[in-house]
Amino acid sequence: EWIAFLDGGRLALDRTDGTQRHRLTKHSGRELDVLIAGFTPDGSTLLFHQGEVQSEEGASLPPGITPGFQRVSMADKSIAPVEGLPGFVAFTDDGDVVFTRRQPDRSTELVRFGLDTRAEEILQRSVDAFAYGQLVLRADRLAYVLHADGGDPSAEKGSQVVVEGLHGENRIEVTGRGGFAQYQWPKLSLDGTRVAYGDGKTLKVVPIAGGATTTLATCARRCRYDWDGPTTMLVLDEHALSRVGMDGVAVTLATDVKGFAVAGEAE
């Protein structure tokens, strides 16, 4: 029902039918740096972060601004700070936040944080320098780019896409080991049965339960893509936006496209 976006650096909400607009922050992007995390899955809360504008000269926060993550109640559009939340990667289905935290020993923790309770649960820990790269979450499954760089001497070096449970259980190696940054932006399908990922200029899809890897599209540069149904994807190649089925058949939806976002997903 709502679209959250930045208008000159100010956080705003629009009804999808255009009937209402709410401006949530009043300071421009030159005065306050605002980043949108997203809506919780039930749509009750919008999470965003505000802080100092990064510049060579340095900039102080406007008077009355509390830095850090803020939650917007969609019921009354009130804003309240979220104490104790240092980062954001994704929401769980029940509205908890998952984030990563670097430790003094250079390991990385994957942490679950309750927005209401502020309780933390350490889900996993990794010793790799680029831990949990480009992580996405759907239901109780994670997909991310695992880059083994020698932090774990027993692990084979290289990058690969993996799918696993929240605590690292039942890991599936979607790809073999590739070069650094070869595999990009894994995305779990809406029904959780497939994972899509970029391999250089190609977009590939693999059934998680097992099956052949399908090359869904080959783009002039890297494809931009997201699932818009259990078996269809939106693919942006250069400036042409298409809907592509699992059979690889593409239907052009629009041209002269600069970017797109799917409702409920982070861009």
Side-chain angles (χ1 to χ4, degrees):
E1 296 178 355
W2 292 95
I3 298 172
F5 61 99
L6 297 179
D7 182 5
R10 300 173 178 87
L11 180 59
L13 288 168
D14 267 14
R15 284 275 190 187
T16 53
D17 62 5
T19 58
Q20 293 184 45
R21 170 168 290 191
H22 295 270
R23 193 178 298 281
L24 299 175
T25 62
K26 65 180 181 179
H27 299 283
S28 73
R30 296 187 300 273
E31 304 168 282
L32 184 67
D33 185 45
V34 175
L35 299 172
I36 301 172
F39 293 100
T40 53
D42 65 1
S44 66
T45 300
L46 172 67
L47 185 68
F48 73 95
H49 184 277
Q50 60 186 13
E52 294 180 359
V53 176
Q54 301 300 311
S55 66
E56 293 183 0
E57 298 81 13
S60 58
L61 286 171
I65 293 296
T66 301
F69 282 94
Q70 316 289 318
R71 59 186 302 180
V72 180
S73 169
M74 295 302 295
D76 59 7
K77 310 303 181 293
S78 60
I79 302 175
V82 182
E83 298 178 4
L85 179 61
F88 175 86
V89 173
F91 286 113
T92 64
D93 279 359
D94 56 5
D96 289 345
V97 169
V98 173
F99 67 90
T100 58
R101 179 168 55 204
R102 194 79 163 166
Q103 294 296 96
D105 64 359
R106 297 186 178 181
S107 66
T108 300
E109 294 175 341
L110 187 67
V111 184
R112 181 174 184 157
F113 178 93
L115 285 179
D116 294 323
T117 64
R118 298 201 296 276
E120 287 188 6
E121 176 191 4
I122 298 174
L123 300 173
Q124 298 187 38
R125 179 178 170 273
S126 173
V127 296
D128 292 312
F130 300 94
Y132 310 113
Q134 301 170 353
L135 183 146
V136 292
L137 170 63
R138 191 171 300 284
D140 59 352
R141 272 180 165 162
L142 307 169
Y144 61 94
V145 178
L146 171 65
H147 181 70
D149 60 351
D152 181 357
S154 65
E156 181 184 352
K157 293 184 180 181
S159 292
Q160 66 181 152
V161 175
V162 298
V163 174
E164 63 191 17
L166 289 176
H167 296 88
E169 71 276 16
N170 303 319
R171 176 178 289 181
I172 299 169
E173 296 183 345
V174 176
T175 69
R177 297 286 183 178
F180 184 77
Q182 176 180 346
Y183 303 119
Q184 295 281 315
W185 302 112
K187 293 181 181 290
L188 292 165
S189 62
L190 301 186
D191 60 2
T193 63
R194 297 175 174 87
V195 60
Y197 62 93
D199 181 356
K201 296 179 180 180
T202 62
L203 168 60
K204 296 184 176 181
V205 175
V206 181
I208 292 174
T213 300
T214 301
T215 298
L216 210 63
T218 300
C219 299
R221 296 184 178 87
R222 284 194 181 272
C223 303
R224 292 185 61 185
Y225 49 90
D226 209 338
W227 295 91
D228 73 328
T231 58
T232 56
M233 299 197 75
L234 298 179
V235 180
L236 181 60
D237 179 12
E238 296 282 74
H239 301 294
L241 181 66
S242 301
R243 176 175 284 114
V244 185
M246 294 300 97
D247 56 2
V249 175
V251 177
T252 301
L253 302 178
T255 56
D256 299 324
V257 177
K258 292 185 178 180
F260 73 96
V262 175
E265 300 291 326
E267 186 191 3

